[in-house]
Amino acid sequence: MQRIGILTGGGDCPGLNPVIRAVVKRAQLDNWQVLGFRNGWRGMIDDDYIMLDAQSVSGILPKGGTILGTSRTNPCKKASDLEKVRSTFNKHNLKALIAVGGEDTLGAAYKLFQEGLKVVGVPKTIDNDLNATDYTFGYDTALNIAMECIDRLHTTAESHNRVMVAEIMGRHAGWIALEAGIAGGADIILIPEIPIDLDQVCDLIKKRHARGKTFSIIAVAEGAHLKDQGLVANDKLDQFGHMRLGGIGQFIGTLIEQRTGYETRVTVLGHIQRGGSPSAFDRVLGTRFGVKAVELVKAEKFGHMVSLQGRNIVDVSLAEAIGQLKTVPPDLYEMAQLFFG
Ligand code: F6P
C-alpha cells in the first residue's frame, strides 16, 4: 500500500483541519495510507506521527487549530536535522509529503525538494501574504473576527468619546488591518507597507473631531512602523529569524493621546484572530486545497503548491510562491484612504 505524509507548520490557523480531513478522504480513493507528522517539521525530524484514517478525521471539519499540532521548527537550520527528515521520509517509503504552511514552512519544503524530497505545498496563513495564490485559508476567518472587533470598538468608543486603537495581526503585510478596517469603517488604517506619519494621523483625528465627531477608530497592523523607526517588538527570535511583534498599538496610542489631548485606549486583538472555528470560505478552500494536494501527488507534480486563482484551484511552483511576499498594493491603500478621517 502506498503511503503519503502530511504536516502542518508555522502559526496555526482556522482551516487546517479541513485540509487534513480532505487529504485523508481523497487519499482513501486510491487506497493510500496517510501518516500525520506531529508539530510541523519537528515530527519529521523526530519521526513522530499518527496514522490518519476516516475515524481520526471524523468531526474535525469545524474545529480550529490543527489535530496534528504545529511548531516553528526549521528543518534546514542544522544539517543533522535535514538528514533526519530524509531518513524519516525513506523509512516510511513515502510517496510524497504534503507540507501545509506559510512562507517559512513552504520555504523549507522548497529547500527539501531541491535536496531531492518529493514535496507538495498547501498555502496557509491568516496574514494572506503568500505569493501566487489569491487567498490563503485562515485569512477570511481572521478578517471577519477583526471586523467584528472593530464593530464592537465603535459602540464603546462612541459612548466614551475616545480614540480607540486596534492592533491587528500582520507581520509583513497589512491585509487583515486593511480589509477589516475597510469593512469595519475604521477612520485610519496603518499597515507595514506604508510608514506611519504620526503628524498626519493626529491631524486627521483633530479635523474629524473638529467636524463634530466625538470618537475615532484606528486599525494598525502589528508590523506597521513609524517613519525612521524600526518594528515594535521584543527581542525574541523564532527559528526562522522572525522577531516576535507586538506593541505598536500602545506605542502610537500614547503619542496620539499626548499630541491630540483625546483620551485614547488600545486593544490588542492578538491570537483571538487565529483561534476558533473556520468560516465557511476557509472550510471550503481548505477542503479544495486538500483534495488538490493529493491529486498533485498522484500527478507527481512535486515542488508545486496548490493555489486559488479566481474561482479555480490550480498549481504553481513552490519557487514562485516563496519568491516574494504578496503585500498590499498602493492603489488599494489609496482607495481605503478615501474613507479616512
Ligand atoms: O504568521 C501569522 C502570525 O499570526 C502573524 O500575524 C504574527 O506576527 C505571528 O503569526 C505570531 O506568531 P506566534 O503565534 O508564534 O506568536
Side-chain angles (χ1 to χ4, degrees):
M1 194 182 260
Q2 305 260 35
R3 299 176 130 199
I4 59 171
I6 179 170
L7 63 81
T8 55
D12 74 317
C13 81
L16 285 164
N17 285 327
V19 176
I20 297 167
R21 170 177 173 269
V23 163
V24 171
K25 293 259 186 192
R26 178 60 187 83
Q28 277 180 339
L29 252 190
D30 288 291
N31 255 327
W32 295 352
Q33 282 185 328
V34 183
L35 280 65
F37 289 91
R38 290 156 58 92
N39 304 319
W41 290 108
R42 169 94 354 244
M44 282 296 285
I45 295 168
D46 295 343
D47 191 17
D48 180 11
Y49 69 95
I50 51 173
M51 294 305 299
L52 293 172
D53 56 16
Q55 175 86 21
S56 43
V57 297
S58 166
I60 69 171
L61 178 68
K63 290 193 179 149
T66 160
I67 59 163
L68 293 176
T70 185
S71 72
R72 295 198 185 273
T73 306
N74 182 354
C76 304
K77 216 175 169 194
K78 289 197 279 180
S80 56
D81 282 348
L82 210 145
E83 266 325 296
K84 285 181 191 161
V85 170
R86 188 192 298 283
S87 124
T88 301
F89 196 100
N90 292 338
K91 177 181 161 195
H92 297 292
N93 196 18
L94 295 180
K95 186 175 172 60
L97 176 69
I98 297 174
V100 188
E103 47 155 342
D104 297 328
T105 306
L106 297 182
Y110 182 59
K111 275 194 196 128
L112 292 164
F113 167 69
Q114 288 176 310
E115 295 282 327
L117 255 63
K118 295 173 176 169
V119 180
V120 159
V122 177
K124 162 243 70 159
T125 166
I126 65 161
D127 288 359
N128 196 37
D129 58 0
L130 257 175
N131 200 28
T133 183
D134 289 354
Y135 287 100
T136 49
F137 67 86
Y139 171 67
D140 182 70
T141 309
L143 174 61
N144 279 288
I145 294 169
M147 180 195 71
E148 195 196 324
C149 290
I150 291 176
D151 285 350
R152 287 175 183 273
L153 288 175
H154 259 103
T155 58
T156 172
E158 205 164 357
S159 307
H160 284 270
N161 296 355
R162 283 174 174 158
V163 174
M164 292 295 221
V165 178
E167 183 178 303
I168 294 173
M169 278 188 171
R171 204 200 292 266
H172 310 291
W175 287 107
I176 311 177
L178 181 85
E179 295 206 321
I182 294 173
D187 303 303
I188 297 172
I189 303 169
L190 304 168
I191 60 174
E193 292 85 341
I194 318 270
I196 302 171
D197 180 339
L198 210 60
D199 292 335
Q200 207 178 36
V201 170
C202 292
D203 219 47
L204 273 170
I205 296 171
K206 282 188 199 154
K207 282 193 181 132
R208 181 178 149 79
H209 288 232
R211 279 202 332 267
K213 296 283 183 187
T214 52
F215 73 95
S216 294
I217 307 283
I218 302 176
V220 59
E222 61 180 359
H225 55 91
L226 258 62
K227 273 185 187 163
D228 313 319
Q229 267 192 26
L231 293 167
V232 181
N234 73 24
D235 53 7
K236 289 211 169 72
L237 294 184
D238 68 19
Q239 284 203 8
F240 290 90
H242 299 303
M243 281 190 285
R244 199 182 286 174
L245 299 182
I248 183 68
Q250 191 55 59
F251 186 77
I252 61 166
T254 305
L255 292 173
I256 288 168
E257 184 168 281
Q258 279 168 8
R259 293 196 191 181
T260 63
Y262 299 124
E263 187 180 5
T264 303
R265 296 298 175 90
V266 177
T267 303
V268 179
L269 272 47
H271 292 83
I272 296 281
Q273 296 160 98
R274 288 222 315 248
S277 200
S279 64
F281 182 89
D282 283 335
R283 292 183 201 192
V284 174
L285 186 59
T287 299
R288 295 181 76 196
F289 275 173
V291 169
K292 180 76 174 183
V294 177
E295 284 165 1
L296 289 192
V297 173
K298 210 170 167 194
E300 305 203 336
K301 281 200 145 181
F302 306 121
H304 279 236
M305 176 188 94
V306 301
S307 148
L308 176 70
Q309 287 181 10
R311 296 185 67 83
N312 302 319
I313 306 291
V314 299
D315 65 270
V316 294
S317 74
L318 274 173
E320 189 188 341
I322 61 162
Q324 66 181 82
L325 284 171
K326 185 182 68 193
T327 50
V328 171
D331 59 336
L332 185 55
Y333 189 74
E334 271 164 33
M335 193 285 295
Q337 279 179 309
L338 270 180
F339 301 90
F340 285 12

